[in-house]
Amino acid sequence: ELKVEQNPLFLSMQEGKNYTIYCNYSTTSDRLYWYRQDPGKSLESLFVLLSNGAVKQEGRLMASLDTKARLSTLHITAAVHDLSATYFCAASGNTPLVFGKGTRLSVIA
Amino acid sequence: DAGVIQSPRHEVTEMGQEVTLRCKPISGHNSLFWYRQTMMRGLELLIYFNNNVPIDDSGMPEDRFSAKMPNASFSTLKIQPSEPRDSAVYFCASSTDRVHGYTFGSGTRLTVV
């Protein structure tokens, strides 16, 4: 059974700082997704990573995938308040997407 | 495209009542998923359909839950009878298949009192 773990679950960052969110998954997954959810809102797709070594970047967010380590990271560069949200990773084996518990990010001045 | 459309956005009902949640997937998407989100358990897959056929309903918590997809443009999730522990946000998502990116609806926030 595919399991997905994220850490940390809660993250409070100062504006301008860098940090990384980690996503581990337990069995082979052919792709890895990152989603963002604002409070009371739906999930918005950020990145899909399709192969070992894949790296995607959008603004201050960069996601990477290491399929051998079964690890994906979401790196935040020079955080700004607008990045405050909950970030989910999701993996897929021979199943629909299995989501991590999410990382609640708060960026403070 | 209007995206995945769910209704109602909010539902408050009394314990024991029947609740029906509705979803219209994106046209051309042949996979549809129902997820439930709670603080304690996160996002859990309840059931998914491929080409209107239920493929895996192992996530449906009890026989009180049922889901249908009578055609490619409509699905329902029904809870009968509802219980307070069913209170959650229920999301519908659709995709071209089970592993490509999912588009989520706005969700239905269900409160059972």
Side-chain angles (χ1 to χ4, degrees):
Chain A
E1 179 187 353
L2 175 61
K3 294 187 187 298
V4 179
E5 291 190 359
Q6 286 181 239
N7 69 83
L9 297 183
F10 298 93
L11 177 56
S12 181
M13 296 178 61
Q14 280 192 316
E15 281 188 333
K17 298 292 187 184
N18 305 333
Y19 208 83
T20 300
I21 299 170
Y22 298 89
C23 174
N24 289 92
Y25 53 97
S26 61
T27 64
T28 301
S29 175
D30 55 4
R31 56 200 67 203
L32 194 293
Y33 294 84
W34 285 95
Y35 284 82
R36 168 180 171 146
Q37 184 179 36
D38 291 298
K41 303 294 186 183
S42 186
L43 283 83
E44 172 191 355
S45 179
L46 293 175
F47 302 111
V48 54
L49 303 166
L50 300 177
S51 60
N52 187 43
V55 176
K56 294 280 185 72
Q57 182 161 7
E58 179 75 31
R60 300 174 187 275
L61 300 178
M62 183 174 71
S64 65
L65 178 62
D66 180 344
T67 58
K68 293 179 182 178
R70 297 177 182 163
L71 171 69
S72 180
T73 61
L74 181 66
H75 187 73
I76 303 155
T77 302
V80 294
H81 180 72
D82 285 352
L83 291 179
S84 298
T86 299
Y87 294 86
F88 292 91
C89 65
S92 171
N94 288 320
T95 62
L97 291 184
V98 176
F99 285 82
K101 288 287 178 68
T103 297
R104 184 177 294 182
L105 171 65
S106 294
V107 181
I108 55 177
Chain B
D1 197 325
V4 177
I5 300 172
Q6 289 187 246
S7 64
R9 290 294 307 275
H10 303 273
E11 177 81 31
V12 180
T13 191
E14 291 186 345
M15 182 174 61
Q17 296 298 305
E18 177 181 297
V19 176
T20 300
L21 312 181
R22 297 173 175 80
C23 176
K24 176 179 169 56
I26 291 174
S27 177
H29 282 193
N30 56 9
S31 294
L32 182 140
F33 309 85
W34 283 100
Y35 282 85
R36 178 171 68 175
Q37 185 177 37
T38 61
M39 287 294 294
M40 291 298 294
R41 301 175 68 90
L43 275 158
E44 303 173 280
L45 178 70
L46 300 178
I47 185 171
Y48 80 98
F49 296 83
N50 192 45
N51 294 322
N52 312 338
V53 176
I55 303 300
D56 183 356
D57 66 354
S58 60
M60 298 283 262
E62 300 172 30
D63 290 346
R64 299 183 296 106
F65 286 69
S66 63
K68 294 182 180 179
M69 191 166 186
N71 57 61
S73 59
F74 184 65
S75 177
T76 60
L77 178 67
K78 184 179 292 186
I79 308 172
Q80 165 65 21
S82 58
E83 297 182 4
R85 60 194 167 122
D86 302 331
S87 297
V89 180
Y90 291 80
F91 285 104
C92 174
S94 70
S95 174
T96 51
D97 59 55
R98 63 174 171 79
V99 292
H100 283 89
Y102 298 178
T103 302
F104 281 80
S106 299
T108 296
R109 181 174 296 275
L110 173 65
T111 304
V112 184
V113 297

